[in-house]
Each structure stands twice: as structure tokens, then as C-alpha cells.
Amino acid sequence: MKGLVGLGIGVLLAAYAVFLAAANGDHVKVNLLFWASEALPLYAVVLGSFVLGAGAASAVASVALVRLRLALRGERKRASRLEQEVHGLRTLPLLPEAGERARAKEG
């Protein structure tokens, strides 16, 4: 089901890209701070801006994701240590005398 939804979204995006290219065939010049382009199709400029913006947003989101994953790893290690401690405490005898009697019977 998820694959079908992804395929549908991909088809819609491709159809939109074709529509964008057909509707915006004009040529524009892009002037950046240290670079100026020759005449480029408007749809290429729009799609390029979208790709660069999506890449920048992904980079920012991935930094936060890496931070969260590292925090999760630390918390998993902490939980594992605490579980081991609880297991160790569960195996201790409840009363000190009971432990001494058990050792006396073994010995």
C-alpha cells in the first residue's frame, strides 16, 4: 500500500514537472553575487531552486536527526545498564539470614 502511494506521488510530481516545463518556456538570466548566467529556461531555474532548497532543508534536518540518534544510543546504553542492575538486585536474597542459611546448606 505504501509503495502504491509513493508511486502515485511520484507520478503526480512528474506530471507537474512536465506542466511546469511546458508553461514556463521563457528564458531568463540569473544574476548571483559572483556569477551571472546566460539565458536559461525559466522551468530549469525554478526546478533547480527547488532541488537546492530541498537539499538544504534535508541537510539541516539530517543534522538534527543525527543528534537525536546519538541521544537515543546513549539512552539505550543507560537503559541496558539499569536493566542489568535491576536483574542483579532481583537475584539477591531478601533477608540476610536467608542468604547465610543457603550458604551454610551448600557448604
Side-chain angles (χ1 to χ4, degrees), residues 62-82:
S62 67
V63 168
L65 184 63
V66 166
R67 237 184 240 158
L68 287 173
R69 285 188 179 181
L70 290 174
L72 178 61
R73 182 184 297 164
E75 291 301 320
R76 282 184 177 160
K77 286 181 181 178
R78 181 174 174 261
S80 176
R81 284 194 314 266
L82 290 173

Side-chain angles (χ1 to χ4, degrees), residues 4-106:
L4 217 54
V5 171
L7 180 65
I9 291 173
V11 168
L12 287 175
L13 285 175
Y16 181 69
V18 169
F19 171 74
L20 184 68
N24 295 302
D26 298 337
H27 287 69
V28 294
K29 291 182 179 181
V30 177
N31 293 319
L32 299 175
L33 190 58
F34 297 108
W35 178 76
S37 74
E38 296 298 319
L40 297 171
L42 181 60
Y43 69 87
V45 173
V46 171
L47 287 176
S49 298
F50 174 77
V51 169
L52 288 175
S58 297
V60 169
S62 67
V63 168
L65 184 63
V66 166
R67 237 184 240 158
L68 287 173
R69 285 188 179 181
L70 290 174
L72 178 61
R73 182 184 297 164
E75 291 301 320
R76 282 184 177 160
K77 286 181 181 178
R78 181 174 174 261
S80 176
R81 284 194 314 266
L82 290 173
E83 285 174 0
Q84 288 174 354
E85 181 180 347
V86 167
H87 178 70
L89 291 173
R90 283 184 181 164
T91 59
L92 289 177
L94 293 177
L95 300 173
E97 303 87 35
E100 291 171 8
R101 279 186 254 155
R103 278 189 231 125
K105 286 182 182 177
E106 291 174 359

